[in-house]
Structures are given as C-alpha cells and as structure tokens.
Amino acid sequence: MATVKGTVRVHFKDGVLDPQGKTIHTALRQMGYDWVSSVRTGRLFEIEIDADDPSRAQDQLREISQKLLANPVIESFHVEVHS
Amino acid sequence: MRFGVVTFPGSNCDYDAYAALKRVLCAPVEFLWHGDSDLKDVDCVILPGGFSFGDYLRPGAIARFSPVMKSVIRFAETGGLVWGICNGFQVLLEAELIPGAILRNESLRFACQWVRLRVDSNRTPYTRGTRPGDILRMPVAHADGAYYADDETLMDLETSGQVVFRYVNAEGIPDEKSNPNGSRRSIAGISNREGNVLGMMPHPERAVEPILGSEDGLTLFKSLLGTTATGVDSPLRKRVVSDRGV
C-alpha cells in the first residue's frame, strides 16, 4: 500500500458573497495596494491517503470533497494528486 | 406529542429548548444523544442552537454525519417532525433535508439582537396557529446566518410556499435594515416541501416568558401541541402577538 499525497482546494462559487474576501480586499487597498482588484477566500486541505491503487486517488479525493469538504450549494473544489 | 432535543458536542441551546417544553409548556420531552441512533419514539425532533463540533469546516457540516442524524433523516423522510433552530437549521441544510446553505453574516459581526419575523406560511404544523402576516418577536444570536440559495431554488421555494419566516420592519415589510445577516430575500426560516421539516435562524425557545422579553416563541410550540388552534387544554395565557419596539 502506498501513501499518496493530495490537495483539495475549496472556494466559493461565482456569485456567492464572500464578505471576508471583500474585507481583506478593502484592507489591502487601504494599505496602498490599490492594484489589487479582487480577493476571494477559500480553504486548502492537505490529505494523505493509503492507496491500494494510486490511480484511484483522484476519485477518492473527489468523493470525500463532494461528501464533506465542500458544500456544493455554495462551493466548488479542485483536486490535485501529487506523485 | 413527545419531543426529543438532540445534544451534539457544542450544542448550547439544548437546555433552553428542553426548559421551554418541560417547564413552560409542561410537554413531555427527552434529550437525544448525537452518538445514539435511538430517537426514543418521539413525535418531534428538535436540533438546537449552538456550535456543534466547534463549527469546524462549516456550521453543521460535521454534526450532519452523527449517528443520530441517520435516524433523523429517515424520520424526516417518513413525515416525522424535525425542527432545526439556529445551528440546527445549519445541520438540516447540510443534511439536504431543506434546500440552500448558510453563509457568514454579511456584516462579519456576530448578530445578537431582537428581530421581527413575519409569518409567510401557516401551512406547516409549526405555524398553523398563526395567520400569514403575523409578526413575531424573537432573538437571533449567530455569526453565520445569511441564508443563500441560487435564483432557481429561491423561485421554487417562493412558489411552493416554503418560505415560512422573513425578517421585517415594524410595518411588516422586509428591508435591508431589518435583515440582521444579509439573508437572500430576508429569509429567516424555510420548510421542506411537505412542511414537516422546519429550519430557522431565530430562537423561539428564548421567547417563551415575559421575563425573557417576548412570549411569541410559544406560538410555534403551541401550534405543534395543537393548543393555539383549538384554544383548549392550555395552562398558559392566551397568545398575544406583541409588537413592542426592537
């Protein structure tokens, strides 16, 4: 059995209000970084899985993302498997 | 009617709900444990307010997979009464028993205040003792309370009469100032299509005695107990829909 590392990135869907991102954006502009035109927050999960079949790792991470890590009503996710 | 109040790790309104039922309404009520799947044959399950599992990941996201929730979901799908209040509402949304999701308050502030709720549907067992347009005063206490659903879902909720409560001003009109959290269309509570599952952010269990500032929460409990509609066998004063200043 091999240990496979992966990351899952979860972020708000377009159109879903992200007041934290908006507040960070405002703060950055107040700090003088007026070239920042938008900030959206998200979440990063670093996950290790015991994989019988490393080629299935992508699907396994997708499954847990769909089930728990992301709420499909408001969030999208992106899975990456690191070899 | 027998009630069961679920305690999750981090629930903090379970005793409020229990006390409202036991002490104020003299109704049979038991605690249900998140780790058990036994619903003790109750007729109505209350998922109380609080911060189950520390609100980790998303409010309600972890609680939704508790052993008790398997039974609650089955119970709801077979017509059982399931009432989610505050964190309990978030659990119901995560469990997809009602549509939509809850986001961080638009203000990013914890909203701890009195609100006015307008009843928009009395076609649920929780509101059948009310008339559409009635205004109820109750507290809210949450950091994550902004109801969100996409346009299509909102339209569907509106047309099927699933919007049960909205935040309104003294005139009964939803406006930005009366909306404590940025909920879409000022939605404060919704039901499933059948009406047996109700989720709401405000706290009726904290508005059951004059000393608490309002008794309007009793209206909902009494609707369930069948005392408001018939006016019989209630040891309590008659309901007065108060409209004192917030």
Side-chain angles (χ1 to χ4, degrees):
Chain A
M1 192 165 325
T3 299
V4 175
K5 292 184 181 186
T7 52
V8 175
R9 243 180 328 120
V10 175
H11 49 92
F12 287 119
K13 286 180 173 171
D14 289 345
V16 174
L17 202 69
D18 175 15
Q20 295 191 82
K22 226 167 102 185
T23 303
I24 294 163
H25 181 209
T26 307
L28 287 169
R29 292 186 74 96
Q30 279 168 357
M31 289 160 74
Y33 300 112
D34 52 8
W35 36 264
V36 178
S37 58
S38 169
V39 178
R40 303 278 283 168
T41 62
R43 228 187 259 266
L44 180 76
F45 299 88
E46 293 175 334
I47 298 173
E48 294 184 6
I49 58 177
D50 299 326
D52 295 325
D53 176 5
S55 67
R56 278 194 56 235
Q58 177 89 12
D59 289 340
Q60 289 173 299
L61 288 174
R62 287 190 66 82
E63 182 179 332
I64 61 171
S65 301
Q66 246 151 14
K67 239 185 166 152
L68 180 65
L69 303 182
N71 179 340
V73 177
I74 45 173
E75 295 166 330
S76 316
F77 63 87
H78 179 78
V79 169
E80 243 173 81
V81 175
H82 312 292
S83 45
Chain B
M1 170 161 318
R2 294 176 61 238
F3 291 84
V5 179
V6 176
T7 302
F8 296 105
S11 294
N12 66 8
C13 296
D14 43 346
Y15 275 85
D16 300 58
Y18 185 88
L21 285 158
K22 182 108 178 168
R23 194 170 53 76
V24 183
L25 287 146
C26 306
V29 52
E30 316 216 27
F31 283 115
L32 305 173
W33 185 241
H34 71 97
D36 295 337
S37 48
D38 181 13
L39 299 185
K40 299 183 182 171
D41 282 325
V42 298
D43 305 296
C44 176
V45 175
I46 294 181
L47 304 179
F51 301 85
S52 59
F53 295 90
D55 274 356
Y56 292 165
L57 193 57
R58 296 175 303 277
I62 311 284
R64 175 252 178 280
F65 289 103
S66 299
V68 77
M69 282 306 295
K70 267 201 182 124
S71 309
V72 170
I73 290 168
R74 212 174 313 123
F75 181 64
E77 284 170 352
T78 53
L81 297 170
V82 179
W83 189 1
I85 298 167
C86 197
N87 187 226
F89 183 19
Q90 297 160 339
V91 175
L92 290 177
L93 292 164
E94 284 286 340
E96 297 174 56
L97 285 173
I98 39 179
I102 287 286
L103 297 168
R104 180 62 47 94
N105 293 350
E106 198 175 342
S107 64
L108 290 177
R109 293 198 190 94
F110 191 94
C112 181
Q113 63 191 77
W114 286 87
V115 295
R116 289 189 185 86
L117 296 185
R118 188 183 71 199
V119 177
D120 275 17
S121 165
N122 65 350
R123 291 183 310 173
T124 77
Y126 310 85
T127 52
R128 69 196 159 111
T130 65
R131 285 175 311 258
D134 278 357
I135 294 176
L136 309 174
R137 279 182 71 251
M138 287 177 208
V140 291
H142 57 248
D144 300 85
Y147 179 74
Y148 175 85
D150 60 28
D151 293 338
E152 195 186 328
T153 308
L154 284 174
M155 193 56 81
D156 194 47
L157 286 171
E158 301 272 9
T159 51
S160 55
Q162 289 172 250
V163 178
V164 181
F165 301 114
R166 261 182 251 266
Y167 304 107
V168 295
N169 62 21
E171 283 73 51
I173 313 289
D175 61 14
E176 211 174 305
K177 223 173 137 238
S178 317
N179 183 342
N181 50 34
S183 288
R184 294 200 78 186
R185 301 200 187 191
S186 292
I187 288 173
I190 55 168
S191 72
N192 63 349
R193 201 170 278 270
E194 295 75 21
N196 60 306
V197 179
L198 174 68
M200 61 193 293
M201 285 314 293
H203 288 276
E205 82 285 10
R206 294 195 200 171
V208 291
E209 289 178 287
I211 197 170
L212 298 176
S214 167
E215 295 177 282
D216 292 354
L218 284 179
T219 313
L220 309 183
F221 289 101
K222 288 208 231 165
S223 289
L224 281 176
L225 291 163
T227 49
T228 309
T230 60
V232 295
D233 96 88
S234 169
L236 294 147
R237 282 173 296 276
K238 252 198 137 52
R239 171 179 69 95
V240 179
V241 177
S242 64
D243 194 20
R244 283 161 290 188
V246 172

